[in-house]
Amino acid sequence: MFVCLGNICRSPLAEAVLAQRIAEMGFSAEIRVESCGTAAYHIGESPDPRTIAVAEKYNVPINHHAQQLKSSDFVTSDYLIVMDDSNADNAVKIKPKDAIALVYKLRDFDTEDEGSDVADPWFGDTDGFDECYHTVNRCSSEFLHFLVKKHNLVSA
Ligand code: 4NP
């Protein structure tokens, strides 16, 4: 479960990029990928038009309706992958006692500036969305390698 603030920019893009990579590598039966936001501002909305535009630019299918992070997501997801420290702070506020999800920042899996935030492109211009795509693309590949190794996944 990818987590950002509004679930219309970073996390739906990360979901779309990772879903495409999972399908390409033959792990669709083993790995479920979703996304949500900690805020309720955009529930039910499609991704921001700039998110859709950058996904189309890089030939990544994207089709999502924004949803808000729920306490139960900590139980039904193995991993909550947040975009920045503020997402982590917000998420932890609704963490239930029986949580099983491990919480990481997406850029914990980055090969550049490991551990830093995925900058929120919402207030910026389209360059920010391009940068966001490159960041989530790099990190999603590394995260998928991590999952395959850790869980001994074998592709179909
Ligand atoms: P996201 O970006 O968390 O990457 O989806 C944002 C989207 C909307 C808002 C903030 C960030 N907002 O304030 O509505």
Side-chain angles (χ1 to χ4, degrees):
M1 176 67 88
F2 288 116
V3 184
C4 63
L5 177 61
N7 194 213
I8 55 170
C9 299
R10 294 165 293 174
S11 65
L13 186 60
E15 175 189 343
V17 167
L18 183 62
Q20 184 183 43
R21 190 66 47 84
I22 287 169
E24 282 167 4
M25 291 187 64
F27 292 114
S28 298
E30 286 79 13
I31 308 173
R32 177 177 58 93
V33 57
E34 283 191 64
S35 69
C36 66
T38 59
Y41 314 138
H42 299 283
I43 291 174
E45 292 179 20
S46 291
D48 185 284
R50 297 164 296 175
T51 308
I52 294 173
V54 81
E56 283 176 352
K57 177 178 174 184
Y58 292 104
N59 296 310
V60 179
I62 189 162
N63 179 18
H64 182 71
H65 294 284
Q67 52 179 356
Q68 187 175 21
L69 177 70
K70 309 180 291 295
S71 289
S72 59
D73 292 323
F74 278 89
V75 182
T76 56
S77 306
D78 295 306
Y79 296 93
L80 292 189
I81 307 296
V82 303
M83 299 295 140
D84 60 33
D85 289 327
S86 132
N87 304 149
D89 291 346
N90 289 328
V92 116
K93 286 180 192 152
I94 61 160
K95 180 179 174 177
K97 287 205 165 52
D98 57 346
I100 58 158
L102 300 175
V103 180
Y104 287 99
K105 283 171 77 172
L106 182 57
R107 296 193 73 182
D108 290 340
F109 300 94
D110 206 345
T111 50
E112 298 173 23
D113 293 331
E114 183 186 325
S116 56
D117 288 347
V118 179
D120 192 341
W122 164 255
F123 294 105
D125 56 19
T126 53
D127 285 356
F129 283 81
D130 220 76
E131 186 187 336
C132 184
Y133 166 79
H134 289 294
T135 303
V136 303
N137 190 43
R138 269 195 323 272
C139 297
S140 293
S141 285
E142 296 298 323
F143 179 50
L144 184 52
H145 289 311
F146 163 87
L147 290 178
V148 168
K149 213 168 150 188
K150 179 167 173 188
H151 299 280
N152 298 314
L153 300 180
V154 181
S155 66

